[in-house]
Amino acid sequence: MNYFFFLNHPDPDLESSIELFNRAPMDIFSNEKKESKNIYLFYIENQKWKNELYMKIQYNTSILIKKSDLLPKFKDKSVFVSMTDRELNGDEAPFNDNTMQSIPAWRSNIKISSKFTATSYQGEIPGSFLNLNLSLTSCSPFLQFGENIENYFYLINLNSDPIEREFKIEILDKHKQLIDKIICRTNYVNVFNLKFLKKLTDDYMYIFRSKGFGGIPIYFARTIDNKSFSLEHTHPPQEYLFLGNRNLYQKKKKSFWLDE
Amino acid sequence: MNNLIINNIKKSKFVNIMRNKLLFRPSLYLKPKKNNLAVSDFFFWSCKDSFQTKFYITNLASQILPDIPQDDQINILIYDNLGNKIDDINLILNPFETHEFIFDKKKFQNIYGSFFIFHKFKNLGDLIRNQCHVAERGYTGYKKQNGVWNFVHGNHYSASLLPNKEIQSLVSTSFFKSNYKMQVSFKDSIKQELVINNPDNKKVLFEILYYDEKMKYINKDNLSLNGLNTTIHKLTQNNFKYIEIKSNIIFCRPLVIKYYDQYFDVFHA
């Protein structure tokens, strides 16, 4: 199972949406069941996981879901979306199964739009993340500085434990000097305006790290008139290696930046 | 012993290539010829019209082996859309250094293409023993006029650089075509383009299949790309909503550019 999310933004002029497909990207690398599936919305209420059937989706069709299409009770909530052939009871937590197992990953188009433009990426949270103890080391060159430019940092955390916990993210320069801290929540689409960050004089890289919890780090930049956008996530550390025991180096990099 | 021999045969390059050719348990990529070779995506760049391109090159030794601070020797190979090598740049990055490489609009006036970035560092630690290759999959920014830089990360393990400076394509190809179904629709934008490049030396054929909003096949465009060529293919069919790419490259995932009223979106399909 993969999970998808809305990039909620504090600016009411921006719309977040996901476009979900009931088909794997490549037949030769997937054992998908070519049948209709149920789209469920997962959310937390009173420290318990809840889910709600959104709709049935026929095989080989897609659906664009805007955050504003959801019921008003979801307006301020982080909602995680997935598809399964099962019928769920309303208290079932997000789970992992083979429904969307595929190479390349079964993704959705995760988008932020204004009336002038839009930006998106093909993204997912793998169900295998649900029970992992993740940390975060995100080395980002995406911050842009200018009079009319704003940068936002998203951290999307999803895990099976419905207790929402706070955790700290530290922002460092390349010399491991602490620049600032922000507080995130688990099972939440965390978003921060990074206006407190000033341009580093000698480098382009900021390091976002957390020892407690991890997630998908996404960087959104916009001109404040909402006429131009950028959206991209940083690679997990092992993506700078091809083949072999890549996880070993992921651990080495995390140990270095997390001082472990 | 027999199992070991069978496993070695299964892993051999020839068997790997034949499986790909026949689409029998294919792999997305081939293994580089030698253990110490660096790998790169084949990144798109454009100085066409009002487009600007930049790339953040970071010291990958510091990203992969941060406990061994060392220089990183960078080789940037830039090709135009017809596969001609138009620049060959060498840089050295200090430990933990990141360099902003901007494509010079005067030097690359109104043209576009693709580029590789290969890294080399003296101390590979235990990377070779662990059968890992250093791979550049970093971040390219595209911009028009006064908009923000629109970033895209690398997406493929396209090629490795041989000691004689030849490019070895790592993309798997087959006698049969396979389909890549993009998980995105195109009705929301006013103009749409696919950027397709060919990191192989051989010509590759592509079909762009158009589907309407009911996923009913409408039509197709046939394309062919010579070695190291790049094309910006405008999607022109009326009333299409979805796209599939069919190619002898087993995993052919293009870059998508969608144009809106005021700006553009760019991402890997």
Side-chain angles (χ1 to χ4, degrees):
Chain A
M1 290 271 281
N2 288 341
Y3 291 83
F4 310 102
F5 46 85
F6 299 96
L7 291 173
N8 312 325
H9 196 279
D11 182 343
D13 290 338
L14 300 187
E15 175 78 77
S16 60
S17 63
I18 59 176
E19 185 171 35
L20 191 55
F21 282 74
N22 184 7
R23 64 171 189 187
M26 292 186 76
D27 289 337
I28 55 169
F29 294 113
S30 164
N31 291 321
E32 65 172 332
K33 288 184 191 167
K34 297 185 173 180
E35 59 189 21
S36 63
K37 293 185 180 66
N38 299 312
I39 297 178
Y40 281 95
L41 311 177
F42 292 86
Y43 59 99
I44 288 177
E45 198 170 79
N46 301 325
Q47 306 286 312
K48 284 185 179 154
W49 275 112
K50 299 277 179 194
N51 69 68
E52 229 172 79
L53 179 67
Y54 181 70
M55 64 174 284
K56 207 176 247 303
I57 181 170
Q58 297 302 310
Y59 175 69
N60 206 25
T61 63
S62 77
I63 177 76
L64 178 76
I65 311 174
K66 295 178 183 169
K67 182 77 192 289
S68 59
D69 291 340
L70 306 186
L71 293 172
K73 71 172 181 178
F74 292 119
K75 187 170 180 286
D76 298 318
K77 279 193 181 296
S78 293
V79 177
F80 299 93
V81 183
S82 195
M83 279 188 303
T84 176
D85 50 8
R86 290 179 48 209
E87 308 270 337
L88 305 183
N89 74 57
D91 296 327
E92 207 159 334
F95 58 97
N96 193 22
D97 67 13
N98 294 334
T99 305
M100 299 165 95
Q101 208 167 50
S102 151
I103 297 174
W106 187 315
R107 295 191 163 126
S108 73
N109 186 251
I110 294 173
K111 186 161 75 173
I112 300 176
S113 319
S114 71
K115 62 182 176 183
F116 306 111
T117 191
T119 186
S120 66
Y121 89 106
Q122 300 295 106
E124 88 290 356
I125 302 177
S128 57
F129 278 20
L130 286 166
N131 293 308
L132 291 180
N133 289 325
L134 297 174
S135 56
L136 178 74
T137 307
S138 169
C139 299
S140 172
F142 295 139
L143 302 191
Q144 305 183 44
F145 297 93
E147 225 172 77
N148 300 315
I149 298 175
E150 280 184 342
N151 297 281
Y152 290 83
F153 171 66
Y154 284 95
L155 187 78
I156 294 77
N157 175 282
L158 174 65
N159 67 74
S160 52
D161 179 359
I163 308 298
E164 286 181 324
R165 299 171 203 280
E166 288 191 344
F167 61 100
K168 180 176 67 181
I169 291 196
E170 294 176 322
I171 305 169
L172 313 176
D173 68 12
K174 70 174 183 182
H175 308 292
K176 283 195 185 177
Q177 293 300 307
L178 181 68
I179 302 170
D180 221 317
K181 295 173 195 169
I182 48 180
I183 301 296
C184 288
R185 287 155 65 186
T186 57
N187 295 311
Y188 198 70
V189 177
N190 297 279
V191 55
F192 298 91
N193 186 334
L194 297 177
K195 62 186 174 193
F196 54 86
L197 287 180
K198 304 291 175 220
K199 189 176 185 343
L200 294 176
T201 51
D202 63 338
D203 208 29
Y204 302 97
M205 200 68 94
Y206 290 81
I207 294 89
F208 290 69
R209 76 170 183 191
S210 163
K211 296 179 186 182
F213 292 92
I216 313 282
I218 299 172
Y219 299 83
F220 170 62
R222 65 167 179 172
T223 43
I224 52 175
D225 56 8
N226 284 332
K227 288 186 176 175
S228 72
F229 293 157
S230 172
L231 184 75
E232 190 54 289
H233 65 93
T234 51
H235 282 308
Q238 77 268 27
E239 289 293 317
Y240 286 115
L241 290 168
F242 177 53
L243 302 177
N245 189 3
R246 304 190 308 164
N247 287 341
L248 177 71
Y249 298 94
Q250 163 135 327
K251 282 180 194 153
K252 281 187 183 188
K253 182 175 177 182
K254 288 202 167 194
S255 299
F256 177 83
W257 285 105
L258 300 175
D259 296 324
E260 286 172 342
Chain B
M1 186 65 178
N2 281 346
N3 279 346
L4 189 65
I5 294 168
I6 289 167
N7 278 336
N8 282 338
I9 292 170
K10 275 185 188 167
K11 284 179 186 170
S12 83
K13 194 181 168 203
F14 175 75
V15 171
N16 188 203
I17 288 173
M18 286 317 294
R19 277 179 15 195
N20 290 338
K21 292 290 178 200
L22 300 171
L23 274 187
F24 172 70
R25 299 174 67 190
S27 56
L28 297 182
Y29 300 105
L30 301 172
K31 197 175 179 323
K33 280 184 180 162
K34 287 188 174 180
N35 285 338
N36 61 347
L37 297 181
V39 169
S40 171
D41 195 352
F42 199 26
F43 302 95
F44 169 67
W45 65 272
S46 177
C47 293
K48 204 169 166 357
D49 305 324
S50 54
F51 256 96
Q52 299 172 63
T53 305
K54 74 174 175 183
F55 189 92
Y56 280 118
I57 309 169
T58 195
N59 182 319
L60 283 194
S62 304
Q63 293 289 317
I64 298 163
L65 302 165
D67 291 324
I68 311 174
Q70 57 181 314
D71 289 350
D72 183 358
Q73 296 174 50
I74 315 289
N75 189 193
I76 311 170
L77 301 174
I78 302 175
Y79 297 81
D80 67 12
N81 62 312
L82 298 176
N84 302 303
K85 188 158 77 177
I86 54 173
D87 216 340
D88 183 338
I89 298 164
N90 290 291
L91 293 172
I92 294 179
L93 293 187
N94 296 320
F96 298 96
E97 184 181 353
T98 299
H99 177 78
E100 182 187 51
F101 179 80
I102 298 182
F103 284 76
D104 185 340
K105 277 195 88 72
K106 284 182 191 157
K107 192 171 175 184
F108 305 115
Q109 209 168 17
N110 209 26
I111 55 173
Y112 67 93
S114 298
F115 62 102
F116 297 110
I117 298 183
F118 295 104
H119 294 252
K120 190 175 177 184
F121 26 99
K122 277 186 184 153
N123 188 345
L124 285 167
D126 47 8
L127 285 170
I128 292 178
R129 184 157 50 85
N130 286 307
Q131 299 178 39
C132 294
H133 297 262
V134 175
E136 178 57 87
R137 305 240 293 168
Y139 309 111
T140 317
Y142 305 96
K143 171 179 168 146
K144 291 183 93 167
Q145 284 99 27
N146 296 320
V148 291
W149 288 100
N150 205 336
F151 285 102
V152 185
H153 67 62
N155 175 51
H156 276 299
Y157 298 103
S158 298
S160 65
L161 184 65
L162 299 175
N164 64 2
K165 291 210 79 173
E166 263 183 49
I167 299 293
Q168 179 206 352
S169 167
L170 301 178
V171 295
S172 297
T173 56
S174 170
F175 297 132
F176 307 103
K177 286 182 175 161
S178 44
N179 286 38
Y180 179 65
K181 302 169 185 177
M182 297 181 203
Q183 288 169 307
V184 63
S185 67
F186 291 84
K187 279 267 186 195
D188 61 335
S189 44
I190 53 178
K191 187 174 94 173
Q192 308 83 19
E193 294 168 341
L194 299 183
V195 177
I196 306 171
N197 60 22
N198 175 14
D200 208 315
N201 283 315
K202 294 176 200 137
K203 183 173 168 176
V204 179
L205 303 176
F206 303 88
E207 291 170 29
I208 313 285
L209 309 177
Y210 293 90
Y211 292 83
D212 69 10
E213 58 187 44
K214 293 185 173 162
M215 277 306 178
K216 195 176 152 207
Y217 171 72
I218 306 174
N219 207 343
K220 70 177 178 183
D221 296 338
N222 291 305
L223 304 177
S224 70
L225 266 187
N226 288 324
L228 303 170
N229 279 215
T230 302
T231 184
I232 303 172
H233 185 75
K234 194 171 170 188
L235 300 173
T236 52
Q237 186 68 45
N238 285 336
N239 294 320
F240 81 97
K241 186 172 180 183
Y242 304 106
I243 291 289
E244 286 181 23
I245 287 203
K246 204 170 173 181
S247 168
N248 298 101
I249 291 180
I250 292 174
F251 179 35
C252 181
R253 179 156 63 181
L255 202 64
V256 173
I257 307 179
K258 285 182 176 182
Y259 294 85
Y260 296 90
D261 264 1
Q262 296 284 335
Y263 213 51
F264 66 95
D265 187 15
V266 55
F267 58 94
H268 288 291

